[in-house]
Amino acid sequence: MKVSLTGIKPSGTVHIGNYLGAIVPAIELARRFERSLYFIADEHALTSVEDPAKLHAQIYDLAATWLACGLDPERTFFYRQSAIPEVFELAWILGCVAPKGLLDRAHAYKAALAAGEAINVGVYTYPVLMAADILLFDTTVVPVGKDQKQHVEIARDVAEKFNRLYGDVLALPEPEIGDQSMTVPGLDGRKMSKSYDNVIPLWAPAAQRRKLVMRIKTNSQAPAEPKDTESSEIFQLYRLFATPQQTAQLERRYAAGIGWADAKTALADVMEERLAPLRARYEALRADEAALDRVLEQGAQRARAIARATLARVRAAVGIATPGASAAQRETAT
Ligand code: ADP
Ligand code: TRP
């Protein structure tokens, strides 16, 4: 069976770069697999978030965001990492197999080291926990951004080592790197990113989004001059939200000499058209944390049935018995 799995860290404001570059393609991708799992990597977030109120809020922001954008919790396993205790036991077992040298070479750890940061052990063992997330579900494909590719490769290396030691127990995962051609530009023309402080938040109210759009950098061409579409961030953003007919029409207005203020108004309008219904859904979902808990808990229950079977298999392989495991395994095997 082809199984796709990916974790999303609850790490702050979601912007339209995340929406177009990660969320929409991920929801699309889920439809291609017999089994797909999306989970909130809340325990991973602890390596960097130390504010409990903030973490709590970000977890529900994220859950409501994915559901509002169309993730179907009936067809996808949608859960919190922290609700799957088997992940943490598997992480320990994998840690006993993973060579230390492999973790010493992890980019994120090396970058923190080079920056002279105070590094907690969680930062160091981060890839082992991630390997457990992945290997627990016999994952074959892990859709991630470029920055996470090495982590998936580490998971695969650990699985191979485990299998060499204990037999053919774990499925080998492969990263699937998202289409990098889709880079959403930010307010200053660079890639939209939290780290550049140039983002348009996905759930900004219409008035705030309009204000941000008005701040997008443009050149100093006069209103009547014909304008180039390729080099215009406004146009590039417009195209991502508009229908082909709307895009063709704006292209003609550029050729005829559109004023930048009018171009920005057109962009703000088309964004609002597409995002207003999503935002309404988001707000309704976000307002009911208990309902979000129920959705995530249901996902966790379904996921745990698989997790228990894998962990029993792993335990048996290393020589640790699980009482009643064979019965549980028979149940989930079908
Ligand atoms: P940020 O750069 O704001 O910190 P993240 O690194 O958390 O964003 O990215 C989360 C996901 O969103 C990744 O899959 C990444 O590829 C995608 N993403 C982020 N910014 C953009 C962008 N400007 N265009 C397209 N995709 C993006
Ligand atoms: N480390 C990933 C990130 O920072 C999140 C993550 C945790 C993940 N576990 C995972 C991604 C398992 C894919 C598979 O974005």
Side-chain angles (χ1 to χ4, degrees), residues 292-316:
L292 290 171
D293 279 337
R294 283 194 295 277
V295 171
L296 291 167
E297 188 45 35
Q298 228 172 47
Q301 289 307 334
R302 289 166 57 220
R304 280 196 75 189
I306 304 167
R308 274 194 290 267
T310 315
L311 186 64
R313 212 168 71 214
V314 167
R315 279 174 151 228

Side-chain angles (χ1 to χ4, degrees), residues 13-16 19 23 61-62 64-69 200-206 208-209 274-283 286:
T13 315
V14 178
H15 56 72
I16 61 172
Y19 170 67
I23 300 177
D61 291 352
L62 194 65
T65 295
W66 280 76
L67 292 170
C69 292
I200 302 178
L202 179 58
W203 305 127
Q208 188 196 337
R209 183 159 55 231
R274 164 116 168 238
L275 296 179
L278 295 187
R279 189 175 52 227
R281 222 153 56 206
Y282 170 79
E283 278 164 5
R286 183 63 185 85

Side-chain angles (χ1 to χ4, degrees), residues 19-330:
Y19 170 67
L20 294 170
I23 300 177
V24 172
I27 290 173
E28 218 32 65
L29 192 75
R31 305 208 171 99
R32 271 184 22 215
F33 291 89
E34 289 162 72
R35 176 178 284 167
S36 63
L37 304 97
Y38 286 90
F39 68 92
I40 299 181
D42 48 2
E43 302 267 359
H44 267 118
L46 286 175
T47 61
S48 58
V49 186
E50 290 176 344
D51 177 341
K54 196 165 140 194
L55 182 58
H56 177 98
Q58 286 176 357
I59 289 166
Y60 291 96
D61 291 352
L62 194 65
T65 295
W66 280 76
L67 292 170
C69 292
L71 184 130
D72 178 354
E74 303 288 328
R75 298 186 48 195
T76 320
F77 292 76
F78 187 47
Y79 57 93
R80 295 189 195 216
Q81 177 186 38
S82 56
I84 315 287
E86 289 77 12
V87 167
F88 307 97
E89 182 175 343
L90 183 60
W92 171 258
I93 296 174
L94 296 176
C96 296
V97 169
K100 176 169 176 292
L102 196 59
L103 301 187
D104 289 339
R105 289 193 295 276
H107 300 317
Y109 165 67
K110 277 169 61 180
L113 206 60
E117 287 171 26
I119 300 169
N120 57 53
V121 175
V123 170
Y124 186 69
T125 58
Y126 190 106
V128 178
L129 182 56
M130 187 157 155
D133 291 330
I134 296 169
L135 301 177
L136 191 56
F137 295 99
D138 293 325
T139 304
T140 49
V141 180
V142 186
V144 282
K146 268 204 297 268
D147 63 317
Q148 295 296 316
K149 181 167 179 260
Q150 189 199 25
H151 286 152
V152 181
E153 288 163 353
I154 291 175
R156 188 185 171 92
D157 288 349
V158 173
E160 277 175 338
K161 171 113 191 270
F162 189 96
N163 288 350
R164 272 201 304 280
L165 283 170
Y166 297 113
D168 201 10
V169 178
L170 297 170
L172 302 182
E174 300 235 32
E176 178 166 302
I177 308 305
D179 177 8
Q180 295 300 319
S181 62
M182 155 73 99
T183 296
V184 179
L187 299 177
D188 57 1
R190 292 186 291 174
K191 173 183 186 256
M192 184 176 290
S193 170
K194 283 193 292 290
S195 12
Y196 298 150
D197 201 18
N198 64 354
V199 309
I200 302 178
L202 179 58
W203 305 127
Q208 188 196 337
R209 183 159 55 231
R210 201 164 284 270
K211 252 201 216 146
L212 289 171
V213 167
M214 293 302 159
R215 264 180 42 198
I216 296 177
K217 285 228 176 74
T218 53
N219 62 26
S220 54
Q221 282 185 296
E225 286 180 69
K227 301 197 168 51
D228 180 39
T229 50
E230 279 310 306
S231 60
S232 163
E233 266 95 64
I234 301 171
F235 187 84
Q236 296 312 319
L237 277 168
Y238 186 91
R239 179 153 65 186
L240 295 172
F241 285 93
T243 63
Q245 291 83 341
Q246 286 173 312
T247 304
Q249 200 195 4
L250 189 69
E251 209 166 350
R252 285 192 293 274
R253 291 178 70 196
Y254 264 63
I258 190 174
W260 287 130
D262 289 342
K264 287 174 175 179
T265 302
L267 173 59
D269 288 347
V270 80
M271 279 185 172
E272 186 56 18
E273 227 172 85
R274 164 116 168 238
L275 296 179
L278 295 187
R279 189 175 52 227
R281 222 153 56 206
Y282 170 79
E283 278 164 5
L285 286 158
R286 183 63 185 85
D288 192 348
E289 291 189 357
L292 290 171
D293 279 337
R294 283 194 295 277
V295 171
L296 291 167
E297 188 45 35
Q298 228 172 47
Q301 289 307 334
R302 289 166 57 220
R304 280 196 75 189
I306 304 167
R308 274 194 290 267
T310 315
L311 186 64
R313 212 168 71 214
V314 167
R315 279 174 151 228
V318 300
I320 294 175
T322 305
S326 47
Q329 246 170 322
R330 271 197 303 277

